[in-house]
Amino acid sequence: MGRRRPGGSAVPLSEAYDTALLDLDGVVYAGGEAVPHAVEALGVARAGGMHLAYVTNNALRTPDAVAEHLTELGVPAEAGDVITSAQAVARLIADDVPPGSRVLVIGGEGLRVALRERGLVPVDSAEDEPVAVVQGYGGPEMPWGRFAEAGYAVARGLPWYASNTDLTIPGARGIGPGNGAAVEVVRIATGGRVEPKVAGKPLPPMHRETVLRTGARRPLVVGDRLDTDIEGAFNGGVDSLLVFTGVTDAEQLLRAVPEHRPTYVAADLRGLLTGQPEVVAEEDGSFVCGGWRASVSGGELVLEGPAGAAAGAGDPLDAVRALCGAAWSAADAVGGGVPDAGKVLARLGL
């Protein structure tokens, strides 16, 4: 059973945890540009002694390229600070095939470098005698013919791997198709009879890769996606922080199934630098946080704000935390359903 309300922390999260396992797209940057407040917040967390590691399902770029980009944005990083789904899937393949095996690559340079790191040989055609095929995000300019090569190989019975299956990826112009969409193209072309082995978040191979490479003892997963970052933390048995700078909004959070419920919630990465207020469960079934009281009545969420809230007082995120307690507990109750959140979120402007 997942948590029924967000957790609290009396000290800043950057002090409570030794390592932040940070997602990149939608958390640190979007479309190549830094997310507001990310550079400053990460700088303060690092100066305070927190180890920063960058964990991404995006298999397109190499760790060197990602570290260079982060450094250019003002977030100093080295290649060893970056863990990608390409690295996780390369280890997964290397565990299954002999050293020196050829692997058909449908993706970018990040996949190729990761495969070579594991002693495997990337090839471009199903006619190059590969023993396996792997898909990873190849960017918006990926030629259609690459999907055809994957389809030919999978149809011949070659083992099929995917770095991740995120259907979308955030960018400067909005949300675009991710590697999961490309995987679906190959699945449809091959009749849907075969499933790839997937390495990326939220699955165990990615968590294993992250722990092996960072040596984190008390990590905090930081992400913007419930179905990858937060579920990956749940599967790994570690705490998580959801930020609202990417694909997840407050309504999706309130409807989260147990494995998608984060430990903490923040607007952006400044949440690393503060504690988190406790969400208190009252005897009457309501939940209180920062003066906000949330409950369920008639299948709808009800929110009572602190004095002066109508004039803008009170932190809306405290309201969201209280609402999480009410919504999650109601959803988990015997015969309970997900309460409607439309009215209260409209009131909060969320």
Side-chain angles (χ1 to χ4, degrees):
M1 177 65 67
R3 61 178 56 254
R4 292 194 172 182
R5 61 180 184 268
S9 176
V11 300
L13 300 184
S14 58
E15 297 177 14
Y17 299 88
D18 71 321
T19 305
L21 305 180
L22 296 135
D23 183 49
L24 286 172
D25 293 300
V27 175
V28 179
Y29 54 62
E33 299 299 322
V35 167
H37 310 295
V39 173
E40 297 83 357
L42 292 176
V44 173
R46 184 190 311 105
M50 189 178 215
H51 177 212
L52 306 180
Y54 304 94
V55 186
T56 177
N57 263 0
N58 189 333
L60 177 60
R61 296 190 294 173
T62 66
D64 281 309
V66 173
E68 182 179 354
H69 181 206
L70 287 168
T71 301
E72 290 173 352
L73 292 177
V75 181
E78 299 179 355
D81 298 323
V82 180
I83 302 92
T84 73
S85 62
Q87 295 170 323
V89 78
R91 190 185 296 269
L92 192 62
I93 297 170
D95 288 344
D96 292 345
V97 304
S101 294
R102 297 184 174 195
V103 179
L104 173 61
V105 175
I106 313 300
E109 186 62 15
L111 263 182
R112 296 175 183 275
V113 168
L115 289 168
R116 293 190 189 105
E117 184 183 58
R118 293 288 153 210
L120 302 172
V121 180
V123 298
D124 293 319
S125 171
E127 309 308 318
D128 290 335
E129 300 182 344
V131 302
V133 57
V134 61
Q135 279 187 266
Y137 183 66
E141 307 303 324
M142 173 73 78
W144 194 253
R146 302 305 300 147
F147 303 135
E149 290 297 327
Y152 302 147
V154 172
R156 293 174 188 176
L158 267 66
W160 182 23
Y161 298 83
S163 63
N164 66 297
T165 51
D166 297 17
L167 291 174
T168 61
I169 186 169
R173 297 173 59 194
I175 304 299
N179 190 55
V183 168
E184 288 302 311
V185 169
V186 176
R187 191 199 312 275
I188 292 169
T190 54
R193 295 183 297 273
V194 183
E195 294 287 334
K197 285 186 176 182
V198 183
K201 298 178 285 186
L203 299 174
M206 189 67 171
H207 184 71
R208 177 181 66 156
E209 192 72 22
T210 301
V211 170
L212 287 172
R213 289 180 180 266
T214 65
R217 298 183 304 277
R218 183 162 169 71
L220 177 69
V221 170
V222 185
D224 68 310
R225 302 182 70 108
L226 301 179
D227 59 348
T228 55
D229 306 312
I230 306 308
E231 185 176 342
F234 176 88
N235 291 338
V238 299
D239 289 345
S240 60
L241 168 66
L242 176 77
V243 293
F244 287 123
T245 50
V247 302
T248 299
D249 60 25
E251 183 172 5
Q252 291 169 322
L253 175 63
L254 296 181
R255 294 180 174 274
V257 295
E259 60 269 28
H260 290 174
R261 297 171 185 171
T263 315
Y264 309 110
V265 180
D268 51 56
L269 286 177
R270 288 176 295 179
L272 286 173
L273 309 180
T274 65
Q276 291 264 320
E278 184 180 1
V279 179
V280 178
E282 300 286 354
E283 291 184 1
D284 63 359
S286 64
F287 290 81
V288 175
C289 182
W292 298 90
R293 180 182 298 272
S295 58
V296 177
S297 177
E300 293 187 358
L301 284 166
V302 177
L303 182 66
E304 300 172 56
D315 184 349
L317 272 180
D318 287 344
V320 170
R321 295 177 181 111
L323 288 166
C324 283
W328 296 349
S329 293
D332 290 352
V334 176
V338 178
D340 182 68
K343 292 180 181 178
V344 293
L345 292 180
R347 171 187 168 188
L348 292 169
L350 298 173

